[in-house]
Amino acid sequence: MKTDLLQMVDNGGCSAKLSPRQLEEFLKYLPLPDDPNILVDIDTHDDAGVYRVNDDLALVFTTDFFPPVCSDPYEFGQIAAANSISDVYAMGGDPVIALNLMMFPASKLPIETLAEILKGGSDMATEAGLRIIGGHTIDDFPPKYGLAVVGYVHPQRIITNAGARPGDSLILTKPVGTGIILAGQKLGLASSEDVSAAKSIMKQLNRSGADIMKKNNIKGATDITGYGLAGHALKMARASHVTINLNMKEVPLIGNTYRLADEGCIPGASFRNLDFAEADTFFGPEMDYNLKMIAFDAQTSGGLLICAPSGTERKIVNELKNAGLTSSSIIGYVTEFNKQYLHLKDA
Ligand code: CO
Ligand code: CO
Ligand code: CO
């Protein structure tokens, strides 16, 4: 019988991250090195660190790894790699080289399963034009996989969490719901169509979205992963000292995400994300509970949230749709800071 990786985990994919509150607590103890060549560090909670090599070149450096988010080892490899590379794309970089990070229970699973995970990662890296030049493997249960990725970016063209400006429109490039659909799959409530739709969204590289951001000189963006759409929007609002307004009615959803949320398929990570963000969030009057929880649903390998200067948003959405990101939508806007960093509405 084929190995079913999903049976081995409670929280797969990015929902296995430590809560954002725990992250903030321990980051206080991590001293920040002082070096003028460090252009981006953990101070702004950006997707990756950026280090200047010279006036024309900086390195974008990032890592992500997590336990299985699907049953099939090859697909798990593809999704984990697409998710790891995404943080380079979110910052306007071009991925160049990577290392495999593999934790694998060699006494519990056949070694072919490991090979399939690596093959999935390698094929996704090839699709991204990224070369995997090594890695590290330790014995561990359940398996975990991801990449450490180095990309190139021009020091003047870095896209960050701190780049949101009042007047910008917010564009989301992929529909949301991967955490809810995964929970629905475990409870036997999600259809196979929903599960395969979620997997194809997670396998989609953010490469074309990044190309379109660069072409349009975008300054602010992030990718949507474990802290959910609202959690990552909040991190961007804080780093930019602005208020981000999201209209959950405009947010595209994968398949039956809403129905599954209504049936209670809401993973624990969503509640942790909500708990972290609540004090900084204004909720619209009588906000729909399911849409509120969808806003905080932990995404794995989610889309880009792009700050498009006023007047450019429709053109950029058209370019994204023409590039195959057919769910791309304008889902909100940025204003001067107004009492709370995040305003979440459903009307
Ligand atoms: Co990220
Ligand atoms: Co990341
Ligand atoms: Co080693």
Side-chain angles (χ1 to χ4, degrees), residues 17 47 62-64 83 87 223 225:
K17 286 215 273 201
D47 295 297
T62 180
T63 185
D64 267 32
N83 181 75
D87 282 330
D223 63 343
T225 56

Side-chain angles (χ1 to χ4, degrees), residues 17 23-24 27 39-50 87 89-92 157-166 168 170 213 218-225 227-244 276 303-307 334 341:
K17 286 215 273 201
L23 183 72
E24 290 212 330
L27 283 181
L39 304 182
V40 178
D41 62 20
I42 55 170
D43 208 29
T44 49
H45 290 252
D46 262 293
D47 295 297
V50 184
D87 282 330
Y89 289 136
M91 302 201 66
R157 303 215 182 89
I158 306 165
I159 301 172
T160 71
N161 263 339
R165 293 292 171 268
D168 288 351
L170 291 163
M213 290 204 293
I218 296 302
K219 302 282 181 234
T222 188
D223 63 343
I224 306 304
T225 56
Y227 303 142
L229 172 62
H232 288 281
L234 172 60
K235 282 181 182 278
M236 189 147 80
R238 279 185 181 168
S240 302
H241 307 292
V242 295
T243 288
I244 284 185
F276 166 74
L304 298 169
L305 183 64
I306 303 172
C307 300
V334 183
Y341 283 115

Side-chain angles (χ1 to χ4, degrees), residues 117-195:
I117 296 171
L118 290 181
K119 177 77 166 73
S122 159
D123 286 353
M124 191 53 74
T126 302
E127 195 182 321
L130 170 74
R131 297 145 202 85
I132 297 178
I133 58 174
H136 190 72
T137 311
I138 61 164
D139 205 300
D140 190 31
F141 180 87
K144 294 155 203 90
Y145 176 61
L147 301 173
V149 187
V150 174
Y152 289 163
V153 69
H154 191 285
Q156 309 291 332
R157 303 215 182 89
I158 306 165
I159 301 172
T160 71
N161 263 339
R165 293 292 171 268
D168 288 351
S169 287
L170 291 163
I171 301 170
L172 181 67
T173 66
K174 289 186 189 179
V176 304
T178 63
I180 286 167
I181 290 174
L182 190 69
Q185 184 186 10
K186 284 213 202 96
L187 295 168
L189 294 170
S191 67
S192 58
E193 287 81 12
D194 285 338
V195 173

Side-chain angles (χ1 to χ4, degrees), residues 73-85 89 95-102 113-135 145-149 203 205 207:
Y74 179 79
E75 289 187 302
F76 171 45
Q78 287 179 297
I79 293 167
N83 181 75
S84 304
I85 304 166
Y89 289 136
V96 183
I97 48 171
L99 300 174
N100 281 318
L101 304 176
M102 173 65 88
T113 303
L114 190 161
E116 275 187 71
I117 296 171
L118 290 181
K119 177 77 166 73
S122 159
D123 286 353
M124 191 53 74
T126 302
E127 195 182 321
L130 170 74
R131 297 145 202 85
I132 297 178
I133 58 174
Y145 176 61
L147 301 173
V149 187
K203 284 183 210 169
L205 286 170
R207 182 180 193 164

